[in-house]
Amino acid sequence: MQHETTPRLTFIQILEQNHPQATAWIRGGSQAPQISGLVKFYDTPYGGTLVEAEVFGLPNINMPGSSNYYAMHIHQSGDCSHNFSRTGEHYNPGMQLHPGHAGDLIPLLGNQGYAWCSFYDKRFHPGDLISRSVVIHAMPDDFRTQPAGNSGDKIACGTILPSA
């Protein structure tokens, strides 16, 4: 049986052996101060970016066995001050309608307050994201409503910085 290298195998190797090119430390705001986490952005040999997110303390943490979805977006500005009111609109260099913005990411699935995901996105490179922000919203993105998916309040944020 022949084993060919697939993108999945390459992505596993990147996550296990490489350092990300950019990271965002996530912290909760006034509505959910217990949220914390890290989002990492890796270059790939296929162009685009491998994204890994691990988040703790999502609002459903105290509901045994619960699962809830939370929107996760890249916003234009990396200013997470003033309860995240200064993050601006979704990152959208191609001026696409929602959900085609480069900043429209897959939702987080919070399982009793914890979420982990990894995905590949060819709409941006890690360097494009420096000084922007990752924002987690209180509700799932509906992938229809303009301009941002009716995803509710911003409950957590992290500025995307180059990795050391």
Side-chain angles (χ1 to χ4, degrees), residues 22-73:
T23 56
W25 286 99
I26 304 298
R27 65 174 177 81
S30 61
Q31 289 186 21
Q34 73 282 0
I35 295 176
S36 65
L38 180 62
V39 181
K40 301 175 186 178
F41 301 91
Y42 299 86
D43 278 327
T44 75
Y46 308 106
T49 302
L50 182 62
V51 180
E52 179 185 28
E54 184 173 34
V55 181
F56 301 87
L58 291 164
N60 64 330
I61 193 168
N62 294 321
M63 295 179 275
S66 68
S67 293
N68 288 354
Y69 286 99
Y70 302 91
M72 182 171 61
H73 300 129

Side-chain angles (χ1 to χ4, degrees), residues 10-11 14 21 42-51 119-122 125-126:
T10 301
F11 294 156
I14 288 170
Q21 281 65 51
Y42 299 86
D43 278 327
T44 75
Y46 308 106
T49 302
L50 182 62
V51 180
F119 59 94
Y120 173 65
D121 197 316
K122 216 166 182 174
H125 299 278

Side-chain angles (χ1 to χ4, degrees), residues 109-149:
L109 175 56
N111 291 283
Q112 200 168 332
Y114 175 76
W116 181 89
C117 68
S118 182
F119 59 94
Y120 173 65
D121 197 316
K122 216 166 182 174
R123 297 174 295 172
F124 52 80
H125 299 278
D128 301 334
L129 306 179
I130 302 302
S131 298
R132 303 192 192 289
S133 59
V134 175
V135 173
I136 298 172
H137 294 264
M139 298 172 26
D141 189 317
D142 68 13
F143 297 106
R144 292 185 307 274
T145 306
Q146 298 301 323

Side-chain angles (χ1 to χ4, degrees), residues 138-162:
M139 298 172 26
D141 189 317
D142 68 13
F143 297 106
R144 292 185 307 274
T145 306
Q146 298 301 323
N150 196 28
S151 51
D153 293 338
K154 299 171 184 177
I155 59 172
C157 182
T159 302
I160 302 169
L161 300 171

